[in-house]
Amino acid sequence: MTSNPNDAPTPPPPGTGNGPAVSRAEFDALFATVRAWGRWTPADRGAWNRVTPDHVRRATALVRSGTVVPMARPWNTAAGPDNSKPALHFMSDLGDAETAEPATHKDFIAVDYHGKAVSHLDALCHVAYRGQLHDGRPARELVDSRGARFGAVSTLGPLVARGVLLDLPTVSGSGWLEPGRAVHAADVVAAENALGVTIGEGDAVLLRTGSVRRRRERGAWNPDAASAGFHVDAMPLLAGRGIALLGGDGDSDVRPSPVDGLHSPVHALAIVAMGVPLLDNLDLEALSAACADTGRYAFLLVVAPLNIPGGTGSPVNPVAVL
């Protein structure tokens, strides 16, 4: 879909924007409050250590209908305001390179996936704050041209956990949250009450803002300039609940950032301070419909990143099972 400049995001009304503003000193105090360094072994799996076999068994017990809902966006090879580095896909063999039967067809894919177009997982080595990775490890010593030696996606492995959908447009009775709208701690609690679900220890929390639906109906825009997502004041609540994973149909950060001089404060708090990997750029529209149909906003979630030694993350197709 092409972008219509008349449908570009406009500043939200007072009281519904990205604020309140947060100073760097206030942010650093918040970082110290939610920091979970020295808590786990192995440290570079971070909050995924919270998910024990008991958690997995309880999560599998949530499966009733057997409905399977994938959450990855389509592989996006088209440049646009939200896709400055399009993925690659081309055929490398059309079945005419070999004489023996059967003929085989082959293709090539490649992607610079840390952006706004590809559904992906951020590993703990993806973000550093003030020169430190999660657990206070020095980023310059542990991440170089060969990859990461701490917090790599290959260390994380797969996650099977209880997923919780915070469906904010459903709660508010709207199609989507306008880009630039911050989701606060009070919004999280209100969503829990409205949807009949409570975030708990070891849960994977997914925030639906409706951005995929908005793009489909209004056209693409630059989400680096404006996107709905969490304000930093929601992070102490999520840290206190003991979540293992955070994700959504954006990249979890409200944009513009409310924190002075920091473009992705939720990334810094979740990944560096809390040891919580992030799922970015999901398509949560089908999951929203499935949860509404069943009246249940908790489900079994399976996340299986690629096994990339030293990788900072991975394209991924998370699956919910209801």
Side-chain angles (χ1 to χ4, degrees):
M1 178 180 291
T2 58
S3 179
N4 183 344
N6 295 324
D7 291 327
T10 56
T16 63
N18 69 326
V22 177
S23 71
R24 195 63 170 272
E26 291 171 325
F27 176 82
D28 285 344
L30 181 59
F31 187 98
T33 298
V34 301
R35 187 170 54 202
W37 294 357
R39 180 172 299 182
W40 296 296
T41 301
D44 53 356
R45 294 193 76 244
W48 282 21
N49 286 291
R50 287 190 167 114
V51 182
T52 67
D54 283 342
H55 285 97
V56 174
R57 283 191 289 269
R58 289 195 295 270
T60 59
L62 296 171
V63 177
R64 299 177 189 173
S65 67
T67 300
V68 177
V69 184
M71 288 176 271
R73 298 188 189 188
W75 196 251
N76 193 340
T77 60
D82 55 351
N83 192 15
S84 60
K85 298 177 180 179
L88 302 179
H89 178 220
F90 61 82
M91 299 303 294
S92 57
D93 186 342
L94 295 177
D96 54 3
E98 299 167 338
T99 56
E101 294 285 0
T104 58
H105 307 101
K106 304 171 186 175
D107 54 356
F108 170 90
I109 60 173
V111 65
D112 186 349
Y113 58 87
H114 285 297
K116 309 299 182 183
V118 177
S119 301
H120 68 270
L121 176 73
D122 290 342
L124 297 188
C125 60
H126 174 52
V127 174
Y129 181 61
R130 296 197 183 280
Q132 294 179 306
L133 302 172
H134 175 64
D135 210 46
R137 307 299 176 96
R140 289 188 176 225
E141 295 178 15
L142 295 170
V143 184
D144 58 27
S145 61
R146 295 167 295 180
R149 294 183 296 281
F150 176 86
V153 70
S154 54
T155 304
L156 284 175
L159 180 75
V160 178
R162 178 181 184 255
V164 172
L165 179 65
L166 296 178
D167 197 336
L168 268 293
T170 292
V171 172
S172 63
S174 59
W176 55 76
L177 303 185
E178 276 298 316
R181 159 72 152 85
V183 175
H184 298 277
D187 296 312
V188 174
V189 174
E192 288 180 310
N193 292 334
L195 301 173
V197 67
T198 301
I199 298 166
E201 179 83 11
D203 282 353
V205 177
L206 305 180
L207 172 66
R208 176 177 174 258
T209 68
S211 63
V212 172
R213 177 177 173 182
R214 188 188 193 281
R215 187 185 193 280
R216 185 171 63 240
E217 297 186 16
R218 296 285 183 88
W221 71 96
N222 179 6
D224 277 326
S227 60
F230 287 109
H231 190 277
V232 294
D233 68 13
M235 299 307 286
L237 171 65
L238 297 174
R241 299 292 183 86
I243 66 170
L245 175 67
L246 185 63
D249 52 12
D251 70 356
S252 293
D253 266 288
V254 66
R255 302 185 188 280
S257 167
V259 181
D260 181 39
L262 198 59
H263 64 82
S264 300
V266 168
H267 275 63
L269 292 174
I271 293 175
V272 184
M274 297 163 54
V276 172
L278 295 180
L279 279 174
D280 293 347
N281 311 323
L282 303 179
D283 183 343
L284 298 176
E285 297 307 296
L287 180 60
S288 172
C291 288
D293 286 344
T294 61
R296 296 187 292 119
Y297 287 82
F299 42 85
L300 174 67
L301 177 70
V302 180
V303 182
L306 298 176
N307 186 1
I308 306 172
T312 63
S314 168
V316 70
N317 182 15
V319 175
V321 188
L322 286 83

